[in-house]
Amino acid sequence: SLNAAQCSCCSVALITAVRCIPNVEDSNDVKAIYAGTVDDWSSRKATKIHACVFDDLIQRMPSLASLILMEPLMTAARGAHSPFLKCESIKLLSALYKHDGTVGELTKEASSSIKGCSPKVAQTLRDALGDTGLQKAKHRDEVLIATKHFVNYAKGQDVGIVTDADLCGLQEALTTVGRSCKSAGMRQMCSQLSDAISAMPRQEKMKRSKPTKVPKSSKKQKKSKK
């Protein structure tokens, strides 16, 4: 099987090929290839894929990664076949939030994709914090660090990108984890993240457009006299 160094070489070669595709961010084929690769990596015990395939894409082509990896990684974070791979999925997911677009790293479409997926990411992190399979300190700490990256990104936005319900759910999960942490440093992190969430703007609820009222017909025409 491929070792990490060999897989990294293959990953860079793949990215070089992907760069040659015109309008690659609009390519459904590239999206399908990476989505299938994430599924293989997270669900098959005998997979030859290493996480560097996705990490390299995030570091070298962050805009494309933001558009094609968000949904597959959220699925992997919930359903990967081992706690280790769940944590790796969450770590990769949080890496996407390190590119805030302030220095032109992300295209407008990629930035919109990240913001649009943020409510689902908050739910994914909340569920991971409560996942009984991720209660070992090393797994829980990885999820907390990922949550920190996510919260730092969200609180740096001019407007709210996560709903109040999702933020409250994440905050409640952090409070629960904080009570069970033996590490004073991690307890403090939970408390700081909870405080940061309290101060964050909320995503406004979409107002439902009122149905257009059909104007009542004018007075019924008088029946013509015989």
Side-chain angles (χ1 to χ4, degrees):
S1 63
L2 292 175
N3 60 35
Q6 291 171 327
C7 192
S8 180
C9 288
C10 293
S11 173
V12 173
L14 176 60
I15 290 172
T16 302
V18 167
R19 286 186 188 277
C20 298
I21 300 174
N23 302 315
V24 65
E25 291 185 8
D26 299 323
S27 173
N28 288 329
D29 289 337
V30 171
K31 184 175 182 178
I33 287 169
Y34 272 96
T37 306
V38 171
D39 181 64
D40 185 282
W41 166 73
S42 64
S43 62
R44 288 184 63 236
K45 291 183 179 180
T47 185
K48 302 295 190 294
I49 306 298
H50 290 248
C52 66
V53 172
F54 316 115
D55 188 51
D56 285 344
L57 186 69
I58 291 169
Q59 301 306 322
R60 296 170 186 269
M61 300 183 73
S63 287
L64 179 62
S66 301
L67 290 166
I68 67 176
L69 291 182
M70 296 288 290
E71 292 286 350
L73 286 175
M74 282 191 281
T75 300
R78 296 174 185 273
H81 71 78
S82 71
F84 171 76
L85 287 177
K86 285 183 179 181
C87 284
E88 286 292 291
S89 302
I90 291 168
K91 190 191 299 184
L92 289 166
L93 196 59
S94 73
L96 292 166
Y97 282 91
K98 293 180 183 178
H99 300 279
D100 59 8
T102 55
V103 292
E105 287 182 300
L106 299 182
T107 61
K108 185 178 179 181
E109 291 76 12
S111 183
S112 296
S113 175
I114 283 185
K115 291 174 183 177
C117 287
S118 290
K120 289 183 180 180
V121 173
Q123 295 167 17
T124 300
L125 292 169
R126 176 202 65 199
D127 292 346
L129 288 169
D131 190 334
T132 55
L134 300 178
Q135 294 307 303
K136 287 185 178 180
K138 62 180 181 180
H139 296 145
R140 185 201 58 225
D141 292 352
E142 287 284 4
V143 179
L144 284 174
I145 292 169
T147 304
K148 180 181 178 180
H149 291 314
F150 172 74
V151 169
N152 285 341
Y153 174 89
K155 75 178 184 181
Q157 303 305 306
D158 295 331
V159 296
I161 59 173
V162 185
T163 64
D164 181 67
D166 289 328
L167 285 175
C168 287
L170 181 57
Q171 189 176 38
E172 186 177 339
L174 284 167
T175 301
T176 301
V177 170
R179 291 196 192 105
S180 61
C181 277
K182 294 181 180 179
S183 166
M186 285 302 173
R187 282 200 304 272
Q188 185 179 21
M189 182 187 290
C190 289
S191 178
Q192 290 173 342
L193 289 174
S194 180
D195 291 342
I197 289 173
S198 295
M200 280 169 53
R202 267 53 175 167
Q203 184 183 65
E204 293 184 6
K205 292 181 179 180
M206 295 291 289
K207 293 182 179 179
R208 292 183 181 178
S209 56
K210 294 181 180 179
T212 306
K213 291 183 179 180
V214 179
K216 293 182 179 180
S217 58
S218 54
K219 293 181 180 179
K220 292 181 181 179
Q221 295 180 350
K222 294 182 180 179
K223 290 181 180 181
S224 56
K225 295 181 180 179
K226 292 181 180 179

